[in-house]
């Protein structure tokens, strides 16, 4: 990892361990997709957190963590100040990257180490119309809580703060979003995340079957296998195209996902309004040849999530207003620009 600017605070001893663990989970598409997810460690009045637009999988190849003023952030949250939604206001080094757009979410936890993932097992539960019923007794042996969907930022952080208190709760399921775990050490966070991920393993086995695709027009390529299998299911295609299920899909792939009747109905891939991924009913799915790595990862994620979801499940979709606030969010435009 490269050195940071001299003006930055001293690095805590466990930041190296957090970087190593972050790189490990960042390489697992069942836990992290593209630039999603983040991790942090607190040391006194400083919280080191993944920078916006960086990728956890890169944590051992480049310097992705930035220091933030933890008391200032907590004070802004307590005062319900507008700057609580501007993570760059709390940066403790000159220039460089901004803190994660979810910095406030990490700040409300009293535990030193916090990890936020978009794990597929959690998403299978968090997208349900009744997520608590879907989870059932799976997390009975954990100190956990649930928060309905809210756009990442101070509002979501305030809701989570109401649950975590002084540290009794260390697992939070975020509706239509993902999972947060917190602990005293990196090793404890790793063990906790692994245990929760396994406890939430869906009863529905992942889709299997052929992934062959018919010849595609120029400018299109076969989508990831999981999305191809989804497109071969009429029930799952209908579920996928009915709306958006979590924020990163909206950011990287657009609102919901379009389904067309046949390969001949694929739109012009050079049209800027053509989404990066499209389902082909009964035949599979196609990905634009120029699709970003983030779009490919989130196309695979949709297949991984719905491929583990019962075809008759009742789902909760983001509203039109929630989709638009994500697409018109300056913090997300910044993250996408860096990720591109």
């Amino acid at each position: 990892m490269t050195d940071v600017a001299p003006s930055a605070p001293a690095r805590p001893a466990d930041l190296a361990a957090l970087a190593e663990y972050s790189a490990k989970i960042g390489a697992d598409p069942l836990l992290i997709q593209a630039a999603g997810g983040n991790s942090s460690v607190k040391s006194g009045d400083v919280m080191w957190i993944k920078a916006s637009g960086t990728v956890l999988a890169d944590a051992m190849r480049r310097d992705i963590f930035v220091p933030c003023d933890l008391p200032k952030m907590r004070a802004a949250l307590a005062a319900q100040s507008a700057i609580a939604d501007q993570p760059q206001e709390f940066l403790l080094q000159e220039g460089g990257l901004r803190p994660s757009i979810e910095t406030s979410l990490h700040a409300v936890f009293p535990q030193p180490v916090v990890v936020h993932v978009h794990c597929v097992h959690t998403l299978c539960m968090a997208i349900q119309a009744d997520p608590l019923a879907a989870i059932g007794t799976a997390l009975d042996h954990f100190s956990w809580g649930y928060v309905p969907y809210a756009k990442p930022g101070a509002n979501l952080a305030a809701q989570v703060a109401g649950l975590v208190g002084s540290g009794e709760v260390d697992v939070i399921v975020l509706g239509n979003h993902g999972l947060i775990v917190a602990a005293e050490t990196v090793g404890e966070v790793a063990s906790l995340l692994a245990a929760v991920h396994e406890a939430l393993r869906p009863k529905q086995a992942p889709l299997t079957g052929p992934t062959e695709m018919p010849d595609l027009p120029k400018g299109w390529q076969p989508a990831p296998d999981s999305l191809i299998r989804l497109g071969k299911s009429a029930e799952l295609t209908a579920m996928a195209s009915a709306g958006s299920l979590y924020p990163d899909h909206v950011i990287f792939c657009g609102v919901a996902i379009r389904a067309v009747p046949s390969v001949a109905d694929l739109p012009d891939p050079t049209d800027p309004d053509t989404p990066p991924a499209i389902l082909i009913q009964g035949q599979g799915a196609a990905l634009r040849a120029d699709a970003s790595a983030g779009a490919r990862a989130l196309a695979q994620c949709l297949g991984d999530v719905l491929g583990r979801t019962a075809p008759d499940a009742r789902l909760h979709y983001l509203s039109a207003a929630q989709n638009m606030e994500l697409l018109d969010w300056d913090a997300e435009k910044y993250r996408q620009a860096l990720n591109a």
Side-chain angles (χ1 to χ4, degrees):
M1 297 174 66
T2 59
D3 292 333
V4 296
S7 58
R11 292 172 175 269
D14 42 5
L15 185 58
L18 181 64
E20 183 176 0
Y21 177 62
S22 298
K24 178 181 177 180
I25 62 174
D28 184 348
L30 293 182
L31 294 174
I32 296 290
Q33 305 82 35
N38 31 71
S39 57
S40 69
V41 59
K42 303 177 186 74
S43 177
D45 288 342
V46 180
M47 180 172 71
W48 290 80
I49 189 165
K50 191 199 88 164
S52 179
T54 60
V55 179
L56 283 177
D58 290 341
M60 295 301 290
R61 294 191 289 267
R62 59 175 296 204
D63 190 3
I64 68 169
F65 294 96
V66 294
C68 298
D69 187 325
L70 183 58
K72 183 179 177 182
M73 166 61 86
R74 286 175 169 169
L77 284 167
Q80 300 182 347
S81 169
I83 68 165
D85 268 330
Q86 300 171 27
Q88 64 271 23
E89 294 293 325
F90 309 98
L91 188 62
L92 289 175
Q93 67 183 36
E94 296 177 0
L97 298 165
R98 297 181 187 178
S100 166
I101 58 177
E102 294 177 312
T103 297
S104 58
L105 192 58
H106 289 244
V108 301
F109 283 86
Q111 294 92 339
V113 183
V114 178
V115 171
H116 167 46
V117 294
H118 301 155
C119 79
V120 165
H121 293 177
T122 303
L123 287 171
C124 289
M125 309 299 164
I127 63 173
Q128 300 286 329
D130 188 345
L132 296 180
I135 293 169
T137 61
L139 298 181
D140 280 3
H141 297 295
F142 298 90
S143 298
W144 74 287
Y146 169 79
V147 174
Y149 176 79
K151 187 182 80 169
N155 180 41
L156 176 59
Q159 294 183 56
V160 172
L163 290 177
V164 300
S166 59
E168 293 83 2
V169 173
D170 53 14
V171 174
I172 299 288
V173 175
L174 302 173
N176 290 89
H177 189 160
L179 174 71
I180 315 171
V181 296
E184 294 298 313
T185 68
V186 175
E188 290 173 1
V189 153
S191 297
L192 182 58
L193 176 55
V196 173
H197 184 62
E198 181 59 33
L200 290 177
R201 182 181 296 275
K203 295 178 182 178
Q204 184 82 13
L207 281 180
T208 58
T211 57
E212 292 84 1
M213 286 286 297
D215 290 338
L216 297 172
K218 183 180 180 180
W220 291 98
Q221 61 183 322
D225 287 351
S226 65
L227 196 67
I228 290 176
R229 293 190 178 103
L230 189 155
K232 292 177 182 290
S233 163
E235 296 89 352
L236 294 179
T237 293
M239 292 167 68
S241 57
S244 306
L245 292 167
Y246 38 86
D248 271 14
H249 181 91
V250 178
I251 298 305
F252 289 100
C253 291
V255 175
I257 188 168
R258 189 187 304 180
V260 297
S262 69
V263 168
D265 296 296
L266 284 170
D268 180 358
T270 65
D271 185 333
D273 291 330
T274 297
I278 290 184
L279 297 174
I280 306 168
Q281 295 171 357
Q283 294 183 300
L287 194 72
R288 274 174 43 175
D290 62 352
S292 68
R296 169 171 282 276
L298 269 299
Q300 176 179 330
C301 181
L302 183 64
D304 286 339
V305 171
L306 289 184
R308 291 167 169 78
T309 302
D312 61 350
R314 292 177 55 247
L315 303 184
H316 177 265
Y317 297 95
L318 302 185
S319 68
Q322 288 168 336
N323 285 322
M324 287 309 300
E325 71 178 357
L326 290 167
L327 293 172
D328 196 37
W329 191 11
D330 286 343
E332 275 295 1
K333 291 176 183 178
Y334 168 81
R335 182 172 74 143
Q336 287 185 79
L338 288 182
N339 202 228

